[in-house]
Amino acid sequence: MADYQTIGSVGAGARAGQIDQGLRAHMNKVYGLMSVGMLLTGAAAWAIAGLATTTDPSLAQAQIGDQYLTSLGVAIYASPLKWVIMFAPLIMVFAFGALINKLSMASAQLFFYAYAALMGLSLSSIFLVFTGASIAQTFLITAIAFAALSLYGYTTKKNLSGFGTFLMMGVIGLVVAMIVNIFLQSPALMFAISALGVLIFAGLTAYDTQNIKNTYLQHAHMGDSEWLGKAAIMGALQLYLDFINLFMFLLQFMGNRE
């Protein structure tokens, strides 16, 4: 009997070791995909902002504050096209969620990278509003905060699932308030939105990290590499959105305006 118990213990330990190793590989893939997405977004935003502005007034087609816009800048920042650029990433997120089960893993990954590039176009306007130094400083602070929050979500024994519904309701409320403030242009409402946004997406960073981990642990025994691969892409998208939104809301507090 002792021999059977020993064999069973060894077998269980081996399976646990395989799951732990698989989980590390899964999380590394999630963070790797997210990092590539962030690089694409940053590069696209910086490049597009550079093409949309000029330091030569004679080449400018329009001016916003101290910034001279090229014809591209006028098209994406000062024409009705700006509304399409603003809301296109939100539409793509919903489309991605609806299509993920129909897409192959390679197609899903390509979709994510295309989304990250489009988000770069949408965020390129921050270079017209905030100084480059304050954008870099806020990005660094966001990265440190994100890493700490994600580590907490990964290591904590506390079940964070109960916060999910509350946090998602908060996100919906934020979106509605931001749309309303497009027309109201209220500084007080914008300050409140930014403060709540930081708190909500800080919570979502920890919650989503734990959820990605638990999803892998619940499905690891199935051995479906295609499903797990797409789960990693969805996890990368969730954490990518948490980072971007945390960065944008912090930028409202910490960014020095041009």
Side-chain angles (χ1 to χ4, degrees):
M1 177 65 79
D3 291 339
Y4 289 125
Q5 290 175 342
T6 301
I7 293 172
S9 298
V10 171
R15 287 192 296 273
Q18 289 174 350
I19 291 175
D20 288 343
Q21 185 176 3
L23 176 60
R24 286 193 293 271
H26 182 75
M27 295 304 295
N28 285 338
K29 183 173 183 179
V30 169
Y31 289 122
L33 288 167
M34 175 199 160
S35 299
V36 173
M38 292 299 304
L39 287 173
L40 282 172
T41 298
W46 178 80
I48 292 167
L51 293 172
T53 58
T54 179
T55 56
D56 186 351
S58 65
L59 299 176
Q61 302 295 315
Q63 184 177 359
I64 296 180
D66 295 333
Q67 299 287 343
Y68 296 105
L69 301 183
T70 63
S71 56
L72 175 63
V74 172
I76 62 179
Y77 301 138
S79 77
L81 181 60
K82 69 180 182 180
W83 299 107
V84 177
I85 294 171
M86 182 185 299
F87 289 106
L90 183 62
I91 296 171
M92 280 191 73
V93 165
F94 287 119
F96 192 43
L99 295 173
I100 185 66
N101 291 326
K102 299 178 182 178
L103 296 173
S104 67
M105 188 167 66
S107 297
Q109 185 169 321
L110 182 61
F111 194 108
F112 171 62
Y113 290 154
Y115 172 80
L118 180 61
M119 183 64 84
L121 171 60
S122 181
L123 296 182
S124 62
S125 59
I126 65 173
F127 288 97
L128 276 67
V129 180
F130 300 98
T131 64
S134 67
I135 292 172
Q137 181 184 38
T138 305
F139 182 87
L140 178 61
I141 292 172
T142 304
I144 295 171
F146 177 89
L149 291 162
S150 190
L151 180 62
Y152 171 77
Y154 184 81
T155 58
T156 183
K157 301 299 182 184
K158 183 177 181 179
N159 186 357
L160 303 178
S161 60
F163 295 98
T165 302
F166 173 77
L167 290 169
M168 289 310 300
M169 289 176 61
V171 171
I172 294 172
L174 278 178
V175 172
V176 172
M178 290 171 69
I179 293 174
V180 170
N181 204 43
I182 289 175
F183 303 99
L184 296 181
Q185 294 294 309
S186 168
L189 181 56
M190 190 65 241
F191 180 85
I193 290 171
S194 299
L196 289 173
V198 170
L199 294 175
I200 288 171
F201 283 99
L204 276 172
T205 298
Y207 167 80
D208 285 335
T209 302
Q210 186 181 80
N211 189 50
I212 293 166
K213 174 184 176 182
N214 290 339
T215 298
Y216 176 85
L217 294 175
Q218 291 166 6
H219 295 86
H221 66 280
M222 296 171 59
D224 187 345
S225 59
E226 179 78 8
W227 190 94
L228 290 173
K230 288 194 282 189
I233 295 169
M234 283 299 296
L237 175 61
Q238 290 170 338
L239 293 181
Y240 168 91
L241 288 172
D242 293 338
F243 188 103
I244 288 291
N245 282 284
L246 190 59
F247 167 73
M248 290 301 296
F249 286 122
L250 282 173
L251 191 60
Q252 297 299 321
F253 288 117
M254 305 177 62
N256 294 321
R257 297 180 180 271
E258 291 280 8

